Amino acid sequence: MGRLYVVPTPVGNLEDITFRAIRVLKEADLILAEDTRTSSVLLKHFEIKNPMLSYHKFNEHQVVERIVERIRGGQIIALVSDAGTPAISDPGFLLVRECVNAGIEVQCLPGATAFVPALVASGLPCDKFCFEGFLPQKKGRVTRLKALQEETRTMIFYESPFRLAKALEQFAEYFGAGRQVSVSRELSKVHEETVRGTLEEAIAHFGQKEPKGEIVIVLAGKGRKGKSEEENEEK
């Protein structure tokens, strides 16, 4: 029987890929890519010429059984997403689950995930946190925000630059304008930026400067404070 490798790819800077990830991609019989055009840039950079097949949220239910059968037949298959670790707000969970249910070995390589550097660099408590990913755009969004009002752990959200202003305004409405937040964009890229402060300050900042790139929002939990605040209280 073959094997499924879940392979994280850089969220921006191509140097962030691991030596092991490159080796696995070169050895794989087939590479499943969320967008073959995006992944081809990475593969070309590292001179990886293995065949690719599109695997994304719109076709995964149709092709997952065929992929499992190929692995049963002895093939080594590597799964990548456009950026970061597959299955983290990206396609991958369904294939991993079906492989596990079929008794197929699944190995997930350690590697890039956007929320980890954003959380660590935020200055907010990272001993306990909850990852929310993308909030529902319409139905269920308010319900989820209300459910998080009493959350004491640091919260992590992914957001589009086009919806960032709306998200920050809603956070201020449900969590209070004085709640501490850290907004990171373009992680590991040339124009990487992290804006820290209150929700009110973040709203003002991005009201003057239109955000670009993928966004990670790190929001303090109820009653939690950033490191600088705790140090000031101790003094």
Side-chain angles (χ1 to χ4, degrees):
M1 189 177 291
R3 178 181 300 169
L4 173 67
Y5 284 102
V6 181
V7 183
T9 54
V11 297
N13 193 318
L14 295 183
E15 294 180 356
D16 291 336
I17 198 167
T18 67
F19 291 123
R20 184 183 176 202
I22 294 172
R23 177 180 61 79
V24 167
L25 292 174
K26 286 185 175 181
E27 294 176 355
D29 295 300
L30 178 68
I31 298 171
L32 302 177
E34 184 178 3
D35 186 328
T36 55
R37 294 166 300 180
T38 300
S39 296
S40 65
V41 175
L42 175 72
L43 299 186
K44 183 178 180 180
H45 182 81
F46 291 104
E47 299 181 346
I48 299 170
K49 301 178 181 179
N50 302 44
M52 282 191 292
L53 179 70
S54 293
Y55 180 84
H56 45 73
K57 64 181 180 180
F58 300 109
N59 75 347
E60 57 180 346
H61 288 276
Q62 288 76 39
V63 303
V64 65
E65 290 186 9
R66 281 180 286 165
I67 295 169
V68 169
E69 286 305 310
R70 293 180 73 157
I71 301 174
R72 281 180 179 275
Q75 289 195 359
I76 301 297
I77 291 184
L79 171 67
V80 300
S81 62
D82 288 348
T85 301
I88 304 296
S89 293
D90 276 322
F93 162 72
L94 178 63
L95 178 58
V96 170
R97 184 185 67 184
E98 294 305 306
C99 285
V100 169
N101 290 341
I104 292 170
E105 182 178 358
V106 178
Q107 289 191 13
C108 180
L109 278 59
T113 301
F115 78 80
V116 174
L119 171 63
V120 174
S122 71
L124 295 171
C126 51
D127 54 333
K128 294 181 178 66
F129 61 89
C130 62
F131 176 73
E132 290 293 321
F134 288 98
L135 285 170
Q137 291 185 32
K138 295 180 181 179
K139 186 178 179 180
R141 187 180 182 93
V142 170
T143 301
R144 189 64 198 145
L145 289 171
K146 288 181 178 179
L148 291 170
Q149 284 180 314
E150 299 302 315
E151 177 60 68
T152 58
R153 295 171 296 177
T154 300
M155 295 168 277
I156 303 167
F157 304 89
Y158 284 165
E159 193 51 274
S160 156
F162 308 108
R163 295 190 297 269
L164 176 61
K166 176 185 176 182
L168 293 176
E169 289 169 0
Q170 285 186 314
F171 288 169
E173 178 183 353
Y174 287 96
F175 304 116
R179 183 75 66 94
Q180 291 291 310
V181 68
S182 175
V183 181
S184 294
R185 66 177 192 88
E186 295 287 82
L187 285 166
S188 81
K189 299 180 182 179
V190 175
H191 300 293
E192 177 177 338
E193 177 187 35
T194 295
V195 176
R196 306 173 184 87
T198 64
L199 282 166
E200 184 178 23
E201 291 168 338
I203 291 170
H205 174 85
F206 289 108
Q208 297 176 350
K209 183 179 179 181
E210 183 179 355
K212 295 181 180 179
E214 295 303 311
I215 307 290
V216 183
I217 304 171
V218 183
L219 184 67
K222 185 177 181 179
R224 299 302 298 272
K225 299 175 180 178
K227 185 176 180 181
S228 61
E229 294 173 291
E230 292 176 350
E231 290 175 343
N232 289 335
E233 286 188 356
E234 290 175 0
K235 292 178 182 178

